[in-house]
Amino acid sequence: MIIGVLAIQGAFFEHMDVLKRLNVQGKLIKKVSDLEVIDGLILPGGESTAMAKQMKENGLFEAITHKINEGCPVMGTCAGLILLSKEISNQPVQTLGVMDIRVKRNAYGRQLDSFSTMASIKKISETPIELVFIRAPYIEEVGDDVEVLCVVDNHIVVAQQNHCLALAFHPELSGIDVIHQYFIDTMIKKESQPHGSVSNP
Amino acid sequence: MNKQYELNKNLAQMLKGGVIMDVTSAQEALIAQEAGACAVMALERVPADIRKDGGVARASDPKMIKEIQAAVTIPVMAKVRIGHFVEAQILEALEVDYIDESEVLTPADPTYHIDKTLFKVPFVCGAKNLSEALRRISEGASMIRTKGEPGTGDVVEAVKHMRLMTSEIRRVKSLEKSELFHAAKELQVPLHLLEYVHEHGKLPVVNFAAGGVATPADAALMMQLGCDGVFVGSGIFKSGDPRKRAAAIVKAVTHFNDPIILAEVSEDLGEPMVGINVYSVKEEDKMADRGY
């Protein structure tokens, strides 16, 4: 299994480190040809404007949209969540529009409003884990077939729509790898298994 | 360290692989954002003009900083003089995203840097070598950049500082644990930070290049030497075609290891900033020697 990590700008090495800890091969994605062999994709944190600009220019924007629409499992964190969304309510940013969610960018304010908190994401782990929000967005509204996985202070911060997982915070910074593990086990391995072969424990 | 310090180091991690551009107006800030900058540094005069004008260079007018904050969605940084903790208090009140305690401005204190542990807002500081970097971190800096020689368009000092830092890090890494006590004494740095460097082979915070980067090739050079990202000061808005050059430097940082893309983005960028050879700058005019 190879998981691509978009490497235009931002904290992509942090995601590569998590994959290494989980014994999964990671691959930095900088141009269209890098996408060929991957089984899943991570869109990291960073500045969504900076990423979108370069992706538009080198064709990655269309290529990644196509790849996701074809069923490639994807996880977006912070700026990655913004890229996945259909609509940004407060700022004009180019997005891939593959998830039926409406997002508020820099929703909590500037760096002085960045924070971390403990919360449990029931579907992923009963144990509360640290969620790190850096100049973070949150999800204001979700479409009918989007599952809300976590709400913090009345704002949606984790949502899943089929093979797309969006997180407003940074699981790559906490040192707890359960969310990446969930992405790999339930969203990538399941995809690659033929029907009927899912084993019962 | 406290939680806020961790969050501040985390913001620097989000800036990695990106270009932070000096801007002097809301209009320039927008150009920087459209070109793909990951943050902007708001200041009244770019280092090349500070160098030319002489006199005392101070923190910028809050009005200009607020206009830039209103114009862009990316993080906004601003500079204070070395040791001027009240300028820093003012920038914190303005809620800038990062403060640069910078040798580009005229130092306000002949001995002390700001005690950055007293602030909630993050700080980035310049360093010429490992010992300066670790002293700044011990004072609370959550991001480091090379000093280089600002406002010259000559990358030689940034290269020197980066090479020196990495070679010192390699040396510390190769020491035996019992030798660290003496090394801490020699370098005049806290032992626990030196232990981190020994164990991990890198600084405990993100490390950018700054001071003299003027071309996409300069930016890629600094990335290949091991920086996490690049500050460009005078190099963009003192050049013939800022929009094009800014976008080219952004791409060069992303694709720093791909000479074919570097060749493409280096083409037809118009006039670079004129530049001053560092070795022709008088000793007393060198900014890199400011700071302790």
Side-chain angles (χ1 to χ4, degrees):
Chain A
M1 182 197 300
I2 301 174
I3 298 183
V5 181
L6 182 70
I8 299 294
Q9 188 272 325
F12 41 86
F13 284 119
E14 285 74 357
H15 281 287
M16 294 291 279
D17 289 344
V18 178
L19 295 178
K20 203 171 172 188
R21 287 201 292 270
L22 298 175
N23 289 315
V24 173
Q25 191 183 341
K27 184 176 197 296
L28 296 181
I29 307 291
K30 288 181 189 279
K31 44 187 197 264
V32 174
S33 57
D34 296 333
L35 286 171
E36 278 166 19
V37 293
I38 60 168
D39 304 297
L41 178 64
I42 294 174
L43 308 178
E47 282 304 315
S48 51
T49 51
M51 293 184 211
K53 153 101 173 66
Q54 281 204 66
M55 289 162 73
K56 267 276 165 200
E57 285 180 10
N58 72 4
L60 262 182
F61 207 87
E62 287 71 25
I64 287 180
T65 309
H66 181 71
K67 189 109 190 155
I68 296 171
N69 284 336
E70 272 192 330
C72 177
V74 61
M75 172 168 91
T77 63
C78 195
L81 169 146
I82 291 168
L83 290 175
L84 290 173
S85 68
K86 198 156 268 178
E87 192 190 343
I88 305 295
S89 64
N90 59 332
Q91 290 166 4
V93 187
Q94 293 258 23
T95 64
L96 303 171
V98 292
M99 275 185 84
D100 193 8
I101 54 177
R102 192 180 73 212
V103 171
K104 186 175 181 191
R105 192 163 170 249
N106 296 341
Y108 298 92
R110 300 183 181 281
Q111 173 60 9
L112 287 174
D113 305 299
S114 290
F115 65 100
S116 77
T117 186
M118 298 296 284
S120 72
I121 306 165
K122 291 269 171 357
K123 194 174 176 189
I124 296 175
S125 159
E126 286 289 333
T127 325
I129 53 172
E130 189 187 16
L131 315 184
V132 182
F133 294 82
I134 306 292
R135 285 173 48 96
Y138 59 66
I139 301 169
E140 291 180 323
E141 207 177 299
V142 300
D144 290 341
D145 58 345
V146 178
E147 190 183 357
V148 173
L149 298 191
C150 183
V151 174
V152 170
D153 296 337
N154 297 318
H155 301 304
I156 302 168
V157 296
V158 185
Q160 183 174 352
Q161 183 175 15
N162 305 315
H163 60 291
C164 302
L165 178 65
L167 311 143
F169 54 90
H170 294 281
E172 75 281 13
L173 296 179
S174 63
I176 311 285
D177 302 332
V178 290
I179 294 173
H180 288 77
Q181 191 73 63
Y182 169 83
F183 176 57
I184 293 164
D185 289 348
T186 71
M187 294 173 69
I188 301 179
K189 283 186 182 161
K190 204 180 113 200
E191 288 288 324
S192 58
Q193 268 168 349
H195 287 292
S197 73
V198 180
S199 59
N200 285 314
Chain B
M1 276 290 179
N2 62 32
K3 204 158 251 188
Q4 185 65 38
Y5 184 64
E6 289 303 318
L7 295 169
N8 290 343
K9 286 200 291 187
N10 290 157
L11 176 58
Q13 287 175 278
M14 296 306 138
L15 301 172
K16 291 198 303 185
V19 181
I20 300 168
M21 302 183 192
D22 276 7
V23 297
T24 62
S25 66
Q27 196 195 355
E28 285 183 1
L30 271 175
I31 292 174
Q33 178 170 277
E34 282 161 16
C38 66
V40 290
M41 176 74 70
L43 74 177
E44 268 161 21
R45 292 176 291 170
V46 293
D49 287 334
I50 291 174
R51 196 174 279 288
K52 200 172 73 194
D53 297 350
V56 176
R58 309 177 180 91
S60 298
D61 186 336
K63 180 165 177 266
M64 189 265 296
I65 294 170
K66 279 159 121 175
E67 283 166 3
I68 289 173
Q69 284 175 317
V72 295
T73 62
I74 54 180
V76 175
M77 304 182 165
K79 288 181 191 292
V80 300
R81 286 178 265 178
I82 288 172
H84 206 315
F85 52 85
V86 174
E87 283 184 349
Q89 289 163 5
I90 290 170
L91 291 191
E92 184 169 60
L94 294 176
E95 297 188 6
V96 301
D97 294 294
Y98 243 96
I99 293 176
D100 184 359
E101 186 184 19
S102 177
E103 66 283 0
V104 165
L105 305 182
T106 312
D109 193 304
T111 314
Y112 299 107
H113 283 255
I114 296 170
D115 178 357
K116 295 165 275 287
T117 63
L118 300 175
F119 290 79
K120 202 180 165 206
V121 70
F123 281 81
V124 54
C125 288
K128 299 196 291 284
N129 50 44
L130 181 62
S131 64
E132 280 191 0
L134 295 183
R135 280 197 293 277
R136 298 296 84 80
I137 293 166
S138 74
E139 294 157 0
S142 45
M143 179 176 179
I144 291 292
R145 53 170 177 76
T146 62
K147 285 179 170 173
E149 191 53 41
T152 59
D154 188 346
V155 79
V156 65
E157 291 293 289
V159 168
K160 183 167 114 186
H161 299 160
M162 191 60 209
R163 278 196 182 277
L164 182 56
M165 209 174 309
T166 44
S167 119
E168 287 177 304
I169 288 173
R170 273 197 304 270
R171 186 182 81 86
V172 169
K173 200 172 174 226
S174 71
L175 293 177
E176 194 181 306
K177 207 146 190 270
S178 60
E179 295 173 320
L180 291 177
F181 302 98
H182 182 70
K185 187 181 95 179
E186 268 182 353
L187 291 168
Q188 304 180 36
V189 299
L191 181 63
H192 74 278
L193 291 177
L194 205 61
E195 282 170 344
Y196 181 95
V197 173
H198 173 69
E199 194 180 327
H200 296 89
K202 59 175 191 178
L203 292 180
V205 303
V206 164
N207 186 15
F208 269 48
V213 174
T215 68
D218 288 348
L221 172 67
M222 296 312 300
M223 292 298 288
Q224 287 196 26
L225 286 172
C227 292
D228 295 314
V230 173
F231 283 87
V232 186
S234 320
I236 289 170
F237 289 99
K238 283 285 157 191
S239 74
D241 189 344
R243 212 176 277 271
K244 201 167 174 187
R245 184 167 293 266
I249 293 177
V250 167
K251 283 186 199 138
V253 168
T254 299
H255 300 282
F256 67 90
N257 260 332
D258 190 332
I260 293 170
I261 294 180
L262 294 176
E264 273 168 29
V265 303
S266 299
E267 202 173 305
D268 195 23
L269 294 180
E271 283 294 304
M273 70 177 286
V274 177
I276 312 164
N277 177 250
V278 167
Y279 300 125
S280 69
V281 176
K282 283 192 237 126
E283 281 307 313
E284 64 265 32
D285 293 334
K286 284 201 176 146
M287 293 171 172
D289 294 330
R290 297 168 171 176
Y292 323 107

